Amino acid sequence: MREGSVAFGTSTGGGQPGVVPAVDTPAADTAPNGAPAPDAAGGAPGQVTFEVNGSGTSRMITFGGGSSVGQGSEVPLPWRRAVTASDEPAEYSVIASGGDGEISCRILVDGAVISEETAGSGYSAVSCVARR
């Protein structure tokens, strides 16, 4: 999977404001802004998990919280990514398009579902949005 992130208000992508170049990355637990997740002793605010379920491959998955966004293309399903929740109230979202047949998304905070949606067959798109 090829993945990139956008961190609004910064410039790290060759002079283009807010662009972080796409890189191949493993599914690691990081904060939405790419910072390492704080440990429990540091007062971790919790964990947000984004999920997309279905069969086949999603053409595009976009996910994020606050002003940080991650994106992957041609992503094998099912897909899951966990990040550290923001200390402040934030809106979290995951959007997926493509896949074979039914496709669904979920956003969980510390294991509790806060948003869940399902889309039908054919060329499908699904989005989940929640505020925490």
Side-chain angles (χ1 to χ4, degrees), residues 83-103:
V83 300
T84 301
S86 171
D87 289 338
E88 301 296 320
E91 187 171 278
Y92 295 96
S93 65
V94 60
I95 302 163
S97 63
D100 298 325
E102 189 174 273
I103 188 169

Side-chain angles (χ1 to χ4, degrees), residues 11 16 25 38 51 69 89 91 130:
S11 178
Q16 297 177 7
T25 59
E51 296 179 350
V69 178
E91 187 171 278

Side-chain angles (χ1 to χ4, degrees), residues 2-111:
R2 195 130 163 98
E3 188 172 294
S5 297
V6 176
F8 298 98
T10 62
S11 178
T12 57
Q16 297 177 7
V19 176
V20 178
V23 295
D24 291 320
T25 59
D29 289 345
T30 59
N33 65 2
D39 60 33
Q47 185 175 38
V48 177
T49 304
F50 303 96
E51 296 179 350
V52 176
N53 292 297
S55 60
T57 300
S58 175
R59 286 171 187 75
M60 184 72 65
I61 295 177
T62 304
F63 66 99
S67 62
S68 296
V69 178
Q71 190 171 63
S73 60
E74 301 303 320
V75 181
L77 297 177
W79 172 89
R80 175 181 224 175
R81 176 63 53 96
V83 300
T84 301
S86 171
D87 289 338
E88 301 296 320
E91 187 171 278
Y92 295 96
S93 65
V94 60
I95 302 163
S97 63
D100 298 325
E102 189 174 273
I103 188 169
S104 64
C105 62
R106 294 194 322 166
I107 300 174
L108 300 91
V109 174
D110 295 330

